[in-house]
Amino acid sequence: MGFARQVCTRSSVHDSPDHRADDGSITALRGICDRQPRRKADPKVPYAPVIETAAVTPPRFRQPAPQTSRRCFLRQAGAAAAAVLLPVGTVWARSSERRSLSLVHTHTGERLSTVYFEGNQYITSELSRINWLLRDFRTGDVHPIDPAVLDILADLRTLTDRDEAYEVISGYRSPKTNAKLHRRSSGVAEHSLHIEGRAIDVRLPGFSTDRLHELALGMKRGGVGFYPSSDFVHLDNGRVRRW
């Protein structure tokens, strides 16, 4: 029996589910074997049959479908439910690794674009720049702005899906300035959180201030006030309230 005939015979014997070529490949190989010319053995010339080559399709293996255990399914479902039940701010705080802000002060014209949080920590030098921009422009007094207020601004801008800089109407207010404004208007609280650096009044150019107010209310991260006549929103990180 020639070498090609042996190959064909062995292929048919050792076929297995894991190493089996498709039917077309086996038929092609058998056809080659059947076409080999048979000639008489010549002791002086070693027999070397010429085997025609044919394209052989590689074995096709079916990718097993992914299987999810009941325990894995319940664990994933529990994590998803927990994310839904957590306050929006908590989810943002855990997921945001880089927080940035762009601000322009309407009274001084000063502008600032900054990354104030990165690598799981607030950047002190950038917070100082923000404190300067949000100083009491009437007296020049500088006071630390609570980073929680900055986080509210950053997350609110994420909700608006806008890149424009916030226009700042009021940031920090010294007790002197706040008392003066309180005497002029009942809309200024006597013990305003502006005095503590925990409040800010802003608008977002090209975005409805009314809609900005609604989004801020939905965040439930503190006090939210809407002043349509002056076209700005008050935001603070005090108790949740609205006006």
Side-chain angles (χ1 to χ4, degrees):
M1 180 182 294
F3 174 73
R5 181 71 64 182
Q6 294 175 7
V7 171
C8 295
T9 303
R10 290 175 182 172
S11 298
S12 61
V13 172
H14 293 286
D15 287 345
S16 67
D18 296 330
H19 301 84
R20 183 180 302 163
D22 62 15
D23 294 340
S25 300
I26 296 176
T27 302
L29 190 56
R30 288 173 179 169
I32 294 170
C33 298
D34 293 339
R35 291 196 299 271
Q36 292 303 316
R38 298 186 180 181
R39 51 185 172 179
K40 297 180 180 180
D42 188 342
K44 295 181 180 181
V45 181
Y47 176 60
V50 178
I51 302 177
E52 298 178 11
T53 59
V56 178
T57 305
R60 298 177 181 176
F61 300 98
R62 179 174 297 178
Q63 184 70 22
Q67 297 181 356
T68 304
S69 66
R70 183 173 181 272
R71 179 178 299 178
C72 180
F73 172 78
L74 292 176
R75 183 168 58 249
Q76 294 175 353
V84 173
L85 294 176
L86 283 173
V88 175
T90 304
V91 177
W92 275 321
R94 291 183 179 180
S95 62
S96 179
E97 298 179 354
R98 189 173 187 270
R99 305 172 199 168
S100 62
L101 279 176
S102 294
L103 306 169
V104 54
H105 204 297
T106 58
H107 295 284
T108 66
E110 296 172 340
R111 293 176 174 271
L112 173 64
S113 292
T114 176
V115 175
Y116 68 92
F117 181 94
E118 193 169 27
N120 294 322
Q121 63 181 354
Y122 292 99
I123 304 173
T124 304
S125 59
E126 296 306 304
L127 293 180
S128 296
R129 295 177 65 202
I130 294 174
N131 294 340
W132 173 255
L133 181 78
L134 300 181
R135 67 190 182 278
D136 185 336
F137 67 93
R138 295 177 177 86
T139 65
D141 294 341
V142 180
H143 188 281
I145 302 298
D146 194 325
V149 174
L150 306 181
D151 290 341
I152 292 174
L153 287 174
D155 292 340
L156 181 58
R157 192 172 71 163
T158 298
L159 290 177
T160 64
D161 193 27
R162 303 299 290 266
D163 295 326
E164 289 81 5
Y166 279 110
E167 292 184 352
V168 180
I169 290 84
S170 180
Y172 168 68
R173 290 186 204 147
S174 64
K176 179 180 179 180
T177 295
N178 195 77
K180 183 178 181 179
L181 295 176
H182 174 65
R183 287 193 296 269
R184 290 181 179 177
S185 172
S186 59
V188 177
E190 183 178 2
H191 304 287
S192 171
L193 289 178
H194 283 277
I195 300 174
E196 302 177 26
R198 298 176 56 197
I200 191 169
D201 299 336
V202 297
R203 69 172 68 97
L204 193 58
F207 193 84
S208 167
T209 306
D210 186 17
R211 177 59 179 157
L212 191 68
H213 169 241
E214 293 176 356
L215 292 174
L217 287 173
M219 293 171 65
K220 297 182 179 180
R221 300 269 287 276
V224 179
F226 181 36
Y227 298 85
S229 59
S230 301
D231 191 33
F232 72 82
V233 173
H234 167 98
L235 304 169
D236 66 54
N237 67 334
R239 60 184 177 82
V240 177
R241 63 204 190 284
R242 61 184 297 174
W243 63 92

